């Protein structure tokens, strides 16, 4: 082939690529996220109170994002409606009570590094146990119901009920206290703004999970194979890759993220009950519906909106706080019925 023909071919390819329309990023949901604190500011009045509530809401939102990201991952990549997600949250929370009780020398130490080490060990153990149980959950309950959403909902809800009863057998039915380690108690003062120390840890953890998920799904071969398997499973299998194993890994990873979320939520609540997973389940489904089913970015924006709304309404109108997130979901779905960032538009 001559140089002229090669140059002509490359130029035509470049022209064809340039002719393909590029999807434009939708900034409107991000503007909504920025507008909510601005609208709340004049209602709250005090700048220091507003800043404290805003930071607390963002921290709560990132904890909820950690919990919901596992469910978003499983649904977005595997098309599995896992209503048993709460059992992995509860496992992570209860494993934290056991681990931190065994590491009392670290949790009672005034050294921050010792406290963070204890929390990190609890997080690793909670994620490992939740991931292992998730593997059994997928093989026994979820695998026979692939592609059957109604059966998935019924089977996984039954699995969560069984899991809750087993948790009661092991840890009891009563609430188990989960106090924060000594160095994570109290707040830091920046002028008149109070920031709880644990919320800073929650913010850092949530951002780390977000970066790790985006990197894994968009920058690695594993993420490419998983996304390709969702689009065309037969083609990927014909290339010699075992999609079933990849999907099992996704489910285990989503369960482990739920376990990490349970660790953070249990410490946030400073107490754990067997129903903690079922209670949070409602919140995380609100988040993923607001964000758009299967969307990681939508999950993040939805979680932050929920966290901010809960803190603002809890301060301004406490009686409305319980219903504020449902009202937020209804308002957003009336505006965008498929959520803020539906997967079909990514």
């Amino acid at each position: 082939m001559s140089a002229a023909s090669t140059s002509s071919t490359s130029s035509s390819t470049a022209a064809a690529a340039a002719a393909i329309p590029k999807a434009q990023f939708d900034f409107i949901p991000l503007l909504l996220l920025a507008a909510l604190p601005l609208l709340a500011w004049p209602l709250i009045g005090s700048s220091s109170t507003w800043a404290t509530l805003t930071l607390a809401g963002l921290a709560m939102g990132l904890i909820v994002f950690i919990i919901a990201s596992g469910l978003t991952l499983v649904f977005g990549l595997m098309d599995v409606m896992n209503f048993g997600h709460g059992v992995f949250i509860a496992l992570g929370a209860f494993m934290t009570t056991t681990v931190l009780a065994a590491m009392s020398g670290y949790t009672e130490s005034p050294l921050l590094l010792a406290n963070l080490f204890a929390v990190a060990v609890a997080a690793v153990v909670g994620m490992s146990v939740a991931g292992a149980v998730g593997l059994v959950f997928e093989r026994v309950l979820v695998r026979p119901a692939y592609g059957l959403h109604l059966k998935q909902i019924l089977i996984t809800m039954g699995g969560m009920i069984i899991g809750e009863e087993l948790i009661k057998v092991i840890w009891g039915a009563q609430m188990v206290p989960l106090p924060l380690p000594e160095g994570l108690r109290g707040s830091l003062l920046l002028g008149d703004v109070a920031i709880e120390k644990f919320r800073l840890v929650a913010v850092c953890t949530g951002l780390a999970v977000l970066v790790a998920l985006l990197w894994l799904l968009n920058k690695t071969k594993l993420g490419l194979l998983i996304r390709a398997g969702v689009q065309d499973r037969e083609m990927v299998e014909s290339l010699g890759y075992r999609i079933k194993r990849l999907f099992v890994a996704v489910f285990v990873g989503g369960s482990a993220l739920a376990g990490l979320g349970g660790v953070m939520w249990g410490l946030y609540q400073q107490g754990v009950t067997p129903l903690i997973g079922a209670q949070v389940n409602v919140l995380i489904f609100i988040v993923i519906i607001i964000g758009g089913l299967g969307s990681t970015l939508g999950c993040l924006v939805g979680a932050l909106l929920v966290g901010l709304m809960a803190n603002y309404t809890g301060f301004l109108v406490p009686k409305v706080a319980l219903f504020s997130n449902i009202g937020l979901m209804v308002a957003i779905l009336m505006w965008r019925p498929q959520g803020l960032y539906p997967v079909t538009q990514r």
Side-chain angles (χ1 to χ4, degrees), residues 136-156:
V136 177
F137 201 89
E138 191 276 339
R139 287 183 176 275
V140 176
L141 297 180
V142 176
R143 183 169 296 185
Y146 277 131
L148 305 171
H149 286 166
L150 180 58
K151 288 186 177 180
Q152 288 170 3
I153 293 172
L154 296 175
I155 290 174
T156 54

Side-chain angles (χ1 to χ4, degrees), residues 49 85 113 125 179-180 194 235-236 245 257-258 308 317 322 334-335 337 341 344-345:
T49 303
H85 196 69
L113 288 178
V125 173
L180 289 171
M235 179 62 72
V236 176
R245 291 188 177 182
L257 282 174
L308 290 170
V317 192
L322 293 175
M334 290 179 65
W335 171 42
Y341 286 106
T344 54
Q345 295 182 12

Side-chain angles (χ1 to χ4, degrees), residues 56-78:
L58 292 175
M60 175 184 172
L62 284 169
I63 295 176
V64 174
F65 166 72
I66 296 172
I67 302 172
S69 61
L71 185 59
T72 298
L73 193 68
V74 169
F75 181 80
L77 298 179
M78 299 176 62

